[in-house]
């Protein structure tokens, strides 16, 4: 979100002398995106952010593709992903293309002996189960069930979980994650018709400067590889910062649904966008109020995009036998719609309590080996009468 924010101590003018109490200089760093043409922040470190003591051998975390080309309605039972202690090892990519990777994770332990940086993708981490704290040099963000954590590329972070029971739905975007353009005015402010506003955005707080030297392990991801780095100073040594590039959070529970007399199309649920895909939030809402309205969605053909739904909670009027953590993939090229009987059954209903995350990518998604391990192979038959 393009909201100016600042924490800690910064000098009155940028690119000027800013000295420690002992007279030595703090180290200024510009963290910029799209060269020097988009969002950026200026960060002031206790030490230069360039002190590398050792490099480890990189290792691959590239998704292993099991089904590159397909035309089959597919369902994945997400909670069948087994919990794993380590956060990075728990991340299992299931649906991928050149624009984004969708992963499931069930980490049991907090990140304590290393830090992580995705140097090539913004990350949207949806908290399905669990709570805790996102720790970065920019400050801390408390998170809980229903939060979207938006971590821009290049941000070094740790996740601290309150309990071992955690379920995450993660989107890696190889383009910047932003609020939909139609919700913003020419100055970047969210407008009155937007389903959320700046008051709903959680920004970092409680900046704590870690003025520490030693051996600090940072695992950096780029082009499908993890590069182990050992830095000589703590990565959270920020004395202060200001700008527009920093992690933030938004709760799906703060999304205000847009409703109407007749069934509203999926774009009214849009929450974020990247290049060639959108992320939408389906939340509890009143149904259509035309006297002849049909609350259940109509059959539709995805001509130019796939459709991914991640089911979070509640009863879904359009589907039967939906379980928490289930993912459905309806590929572009064939129609899909409500399950048999659900259209008639929906008539007269006044509201729904469903909660889901939807992703529409405009390039086909591929299934990974981790995906086919949790696939419901008979899902495509669910429209048989």
């Amino acid at each position: 979100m393009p909201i100016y924010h600042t924490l800690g101590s910064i000098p009155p003018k940028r690119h000027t002398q800013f000295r420690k109490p002992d007279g030595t200089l703090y180290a200024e760093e510009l963290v910029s995106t799209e060269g020097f043409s988009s969002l950026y922040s200026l960060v002031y470190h206790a030490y230069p952010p360039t002190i590398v003591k050792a490099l480890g051998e990189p290792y691959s975390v590239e998704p292993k593709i099991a089904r590159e080309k397909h035309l089959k309605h597919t369902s994945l039972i997400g909670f069948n992903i087994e919990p794993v202690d380590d956060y990075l090892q728990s991340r299992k990519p299931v649906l991928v293309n050149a624009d984004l990777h969708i992963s499931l994770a069930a980490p049991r332990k907090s990140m304590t002996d290393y830090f992580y940086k995705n140097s090539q993708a913004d990350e949207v981490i949806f908290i399905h189960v669990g709570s805790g704290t996102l720790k970065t040099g920019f400050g801390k963000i408390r998170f809980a069930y229903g939060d979207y954590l938006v971590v821009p590329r290049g941000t070094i972070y740790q996740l601290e979980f309150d309990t071992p029971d955690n379920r995450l739905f993660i989107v890696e975007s190889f383009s910047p994650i932003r609020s939909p353009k139609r919700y913003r005015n020419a100055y970047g402010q969210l407008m009155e018709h937007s389903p959320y506003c700046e008051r709903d955005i959680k920004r970092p707080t409680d900046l704590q400067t870690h003025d520490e030297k030693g051996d600090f392990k940072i695992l950096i991801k780029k082009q499908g590889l993890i590069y182990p780095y050992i830095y000589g100073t703590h990565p959270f040594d920020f004395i202060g910062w200001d700008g527009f590039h920093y992690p933030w959070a938004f709760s799906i529970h703060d999304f205000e649904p847009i409703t109407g007399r007749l069934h509203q199309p999926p774009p009214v649920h849009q929450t974020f966008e990247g290049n060639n895909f959108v992320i939408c939030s389906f939340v509890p809402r009143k149904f259509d109020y035309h006297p002849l309205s049909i609350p259940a969605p109509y059959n539709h053909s995805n001509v130019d995009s796939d459709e991914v739904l991640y089911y979070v909670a509640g009863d879904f009027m359009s589907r039967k036998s939906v379980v928490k953590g289930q993912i459905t993939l309806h590929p572009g090229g064939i129609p899909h719609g409500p399950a048999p009987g659900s259209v008639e059954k929906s008539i007269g209903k006044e509201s729904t309590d469903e909660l889901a995350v939807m992703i529409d990518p405009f390039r086909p998604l591929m299934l990974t080996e981790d995906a086919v391990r949790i696939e419901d192979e008979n899902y495509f038959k669910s429209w048989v009468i």
Side-chain angles (χ1 to χ4, degrees):
M1 284 293 298
I3 309 172
Y4 176 81
H5 192 43
T6 183
L7 283 177
S9 300
I10 59 174
K13 294 285 288 185
R14 55 189 176 181
H15 317 323
T16 58
Q17 298 176 34
F18 184 34
R19 296 188 180 275
K20 302 178 185 180
D22 66 3
T24 60
L25 288 168
Y26 290 113
E28 183 183 44
E29 178 190 12
L30 173 67
V31 183
S32 63
T33 61
E34 299 182 22
F36 293 82
S37 302
S38 192
L39 303 183
Y40 68 91
S41 287
L42 280 168
V43 173
Y44 297 88
H45 296 270
Y47 305 97
T50 52
I51 303 172
V52 179
K53 298 176 70 174
L55 296 176
E57 284 298 317
Y59 58 91
S60 177
V61 289
E62 192 78 25
K64 296 179 180 178
I65 305 303
R67 197 176 300 155
E68 180 179 358
K69 298 178 181 179
H70 57 96
L71 191 62
K72 174 188 175 185
H73 292 319
T74 301
S75 179
L76 311 176
I77 309 304
F79 278 21
N80 283 351
I81 291 289
E82 292 293 330
V84 174
D85 284 349
D86 181 71
Y87 169 65
L88 287 184
Q89 292 178 10
S90 77
R91 291 166 54 129
K92 307 297 184 186
V94 290
L95 301 170
V96 301
N97 68 16
D99 301 308
L100 74 159
H101 289 179
I102 299 172
S103 298
L104 297 168
R108 284 189 291 235
K109 293 186 177 181
S110 301
M111 302 164 64
T112 56
D113 59 351
Y114 68 89
F115 304 82
Y116 174 62
K117 176 169 74 172
N118 194 326
S119 68
Q120 200 172 12
D122 287 15
E123 296 192 349
V124 180
I125 305 170
F126 178 77
I127 310 299
H128 192 171
V129 177
S131 62
T133 303
L134 170 67
K135 296 181 175 181
T136 73
F138 296 95
K140 299 177 181 179
I141 299 176
R142 284 288 301 171
F143 62 81
Y145 164 57
D147 279 340
Y148 293 101
L149 299 177
V150 182
V151 184
R153 68 202 60 209
T155 302
I156 299 172
Y157 72 86
Q158 288 182 320
L159 288 177
E160 180 180 270
F161 299 105
D162 293 333
T163 72
D165 187 17
N166 303 287
R167 292 280 176 177
L168 312 176
F169 177 76
I170 302 171
V171 177
E172 291 179 77
S173 170
F174 300 110
S175 60
I177 289 291
R178 28 182 207 269
S179 56
K181 186 177 180 180
R182 68 180 184 279
Y183 295 163
R184 291 181 268 116
N185 62 26
Y187 303 96
Q189 183 182 17
L190 290 165
M191 293 190 285
E192 281 289 299
H193 67 273
S194 171
Y196 58 94
C197 75
E198 285 81 1
R199 296 182 189 182
D200 300 317
I201 303 302
K202 292 193 287 187
R203 290 174 279 175
T205 61
D206 190 24
L207 188 150
Q208 296 180 355
T209 303
H210 292 262
D211 186 346
E212 302 172 29
K213 294 181 179 180
D215 294 330
F216 298 92
K217 185 177 183 180
I218 302 177
L219 300 180
I220 303 175
K221 183 176 181 180
K222 186 172 183 179
Q223 294 177 305
L225 295 176
I226 296 286
Y227 294 85
Y229 268 65
I230 302 297
Y231 277 85
T233 57
H234 198 293
F236 300 165
D237 70 340
F238 293 25
I239 187 69
W241 65 274
D242 77 331
F244 288 70
H245 180 84
Y246 55 86
W248 52 280
F250 169 72
S251 174
I252 195 172
H253 305 299
D254 287 328
F255 187 89
E256 299 300 333
I258 299 170
T259 60
R261 274 177 28 106
L262 299 175
H263 189 85
Q264 298 295 295
V268 302
H269 306 287
Q270 188 179 351
T271 312
F272 311 111
E273 65 183 16
N275 290 347
N276 294 319
F277 74 94
V278 299
I279 300 176
C280 302
S281 300
F282 286 82
V283 301
R285 61 195 182 278
K286 291 287 187 180
F287 276 146
D288 328 311
Y289 48 89
H290 186 284
L292 297 178
S293 68
I294 300 176
Y298 34 76
N299 297 297
H300 55 288
S301 291
N302 293 11
V303 176
D304 292 318
S305 71
D306 289 357
E307 178 193 277
V308 174
L309 264 173
Y310 178 74
Y311 296 93
V312 178
D315 295 322
F316 294 87
M317 55 159 172
S318 60
R319 303 282 334 148
K320 294 184 290 187
S321 302
V322 170
V323 297
K324 291 182 179 180
Q326 183 175 346
I327 295 175
T328 56
L329 168 63
H330 301 135
I334 50 176
H336 70 278
S342 60
V343 173
E344 191 70 47
K345 187 179 178 181
S346 74
I347 295 174
K349 295 285 183 68
E350 294 186 356
S351 63
T352 177
D353 64 348
E354 67 187 17
L355 204 62
V357 178
M358 186 178 81
I359 299 173
D360 281 358
F362 293 95
R363 284 198 267 196
L365 289 165
M366 298 174 284
L367 276 78
T368 68
E369 292 180 359
D370 288 309
V372 298
R373 291 190 188 102
I374 58 172
E375 181 181 3
D376 174 1
E377 296 182 355
N378 292 316
Y379 174 75
F380 72 96
K381 299 179 182 178
S382 62
W383 290 269
V384 175
I385 299 174

